[in-house]
Amino acid sequence: MLSVNPLSNPKGVRLLCELCQAPAFLLCPDCRVTYYCSTEHQRSDFESVHPQLCSLLVRLRAPKPALCSETERQRSAEKCLQIRRHLLDICQQAAERLLVSGRYSQAQPAAMHALRFGIVVHGLRSLQLVPAYLLLAETATGMGVYSQAEEYLSHADWTVLKNPDCSPTLLAKLHRIHGTLLFFSKGNMTEALRHFANDIYYSSCAYGAGDIRTAPGYFHMANIFLRQRKEDVADSFYAEVTEIWHAHLSKMLQGRLQNSRETEGAEEDCIEEPQAAEAVKMLTEIWEVRERVLKQDSAKGARNLHALAMLHFLLSDVSKAYEVALKALLIAKEIPNQDEVQAITTFLTLAESKLPVCK
């Protein structure tokens, strides 16, 4: 990190920190167009998303030659807008990925950049800003800064209120974050359940009740019912999450095997990285709850582990898939449903055939 002498700036030019907009005295040595007020903010940005933005920021912020014609100026402005849109996408994806893995403090700079680029690209009152507000609210909730999370959510609420044509997808996300915040910060189970129920409703409108994008709503409701000691209700919601993912992963696995038999270059369905990480987390936690709290149901346990094994396999973690499938088979042998046993046995054979050969 290079130091910057503010006195060397052109008159009237102030160098501002990339994260907090305070006067900056440090310069990124790679792009040389990004400034920070402290090594702490520099480190936070580098651990979050800056390395992915560095080269793009040079193209956006480096001095540009004088453009004579209106056509050249319009072309330059359009190119800058495209870069900002690309930066916005990178920041949103990075924030989502870090949030799912529980790295809230690292996700915060990426979410802040997403909001800033979103304002430039879409305008201050656009619905397109709501995802960034929700990312910031989620990072603040994860860090335990609940007042800040409420502030970001109020911005999201106001933006939605001013735009009555808001999509069900966005409304689902809004209710999900509201429910999470109420659950963790205030322990208001009733209101949290209401928001998660709305999340499921709007997700079902957008994708369908049995879609993997609706599953997190069921999962969050199950966690609340478990906290309320309503184990039977929680169990039914956990089972719903498992069934949704089991059906989706079975279809994906069959499609991938079919494609590999027909042609190597065939397109495959894929799960986005944040979605995959969330699925691993949900299915793993459901299994842990079944082992620790709920009365063990062998059929549901085997189904849960089978889904988790398929997910690991599709994420190319064959060793983990084989390990989990072995555990699923041991449990499945305790149930009378031989179809389930056969399905797990077939998958286990497939996973074993893909294990690396030890020399």
Side-chain angles (χ1 to χ4, degrees), residues 90-151:
I90 291 173
C91 292
Q92 285 186 334
Q93 291 168 13
E96 289 170 359
R97 184 174 61 253
L98 291 165
L99 277 171
V100 169
S101 59
R103 291 179 283 176
Y104 302 106
S105 59
Q106 291 180 26
Q108 190 176 45
M112 289 171 60
H113 294 325
L115 178 60
R116 188 174 74 248
F117 290 125
I119 290 172
V120 175
V121 171
H122 301 294
L124 193 55
R125 297 183 179 180
S126 172
L127 275 172
Q128 301 293 334
L129 300 184
V130 174
Y133 285 131
L134 296 182
L135 287 171
L136 285 164
E138 197 170 352
T139 61
T141 301
M143 295 166 65
V145 189
Y146 299 123
S147 59
Q148 193 176 75
E150 289 175 344
E151 183 179 345

Side-chain angles (χ1 to χ4, degrees), residues 300-316:
K300 291 177 181 177
R303 195 81 162 166
N304 182 191
L305 289 176
H306 186 195
L308 187 58
M310 287 190 289
L311 180 55
H312 283 301
F313 184 87
L314 290 165
L315 295 175
S316 301

Side-chain angles (χ1 to χ4, degrees), residues 260-272:
S260 64
R261 283 193 292 267
E262 291 176 355
T263 169
E264 276 188 38
E267 285 188 23
E268 298 173 349
D269 282 338
C270 62
I271 308 172
E272 294 179 0

